[in-house]
């Protein structure tokens, strides 16, 4: 059996308002880790203090990282 487990970190909880700041994914093949995808994402907005307290990701960490639009294709290909 082959499947992918993934997790997103965001700037908050409001769909359509808050944005993704990290994508993490692990591909499993017969129960064994086959590949890993992990990247920070520049959300194009300030990361609120409350979100940083939860996910540990700050504005400085995402500065200069790719935006979500440029990561959609590589993530889908993963």
């Amino acid at each position: 059996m082959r499947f992918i487990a993934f997790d997103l970190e965001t700037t908050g909880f409001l769909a359509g308002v808050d944005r993704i700041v990290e994508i993490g994914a692990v591909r499993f093949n017969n129960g064994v880790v086959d590949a890993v995808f992990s990247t920070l994402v520049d959300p194009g907005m300030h990361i609120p203090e409350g979100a940083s307290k939860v996910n540990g990701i700050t504005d400085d960490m995402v500065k200069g990282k790719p935006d979500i639009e440029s990561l959609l294709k590589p993530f889908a290909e993963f």
Side-chain angles (χ1 to χ4, degrees):
M1 178 170 64
R2 191 170 179 191
F3 67 94
I4 295 174
F6 72 94
D7 181 50
L8 303 174
E9 297 297 336
T10 65
T11 59
F13 299 113
L14 297 174
V17 174
D18 289 304
R19 300 187 184 162
I20 296 169
V21 294
E22 183 179 34
I23 303 171
V26 179
R27 186 172 63 211
F28 295 89
N29 191 2
N30 294 320
V32 177
V33 173
D34 183 81
V36 175
F37 183 97
S38 179
T39 185
L40 291 171
V41 180
D42 185 341
M45 64 180 284
H46 169 67
I47 300 173
E49 183 179 344
S52 290
K53 284 182 180 179
V54 171
N55 60 35
I57 300 169
T58 65
D59 289 332
D60 288 340
M61 294 169 68
V62 298
K63 184 177 181 181
K65 300 297 181 185
D67 62 20
I68 191 64
E69 289 78 17
S70 64
L71 291 168
L72 290 176
K73 184 176 179 181
F75 181 55
E77 290 172 350
F78 173 79

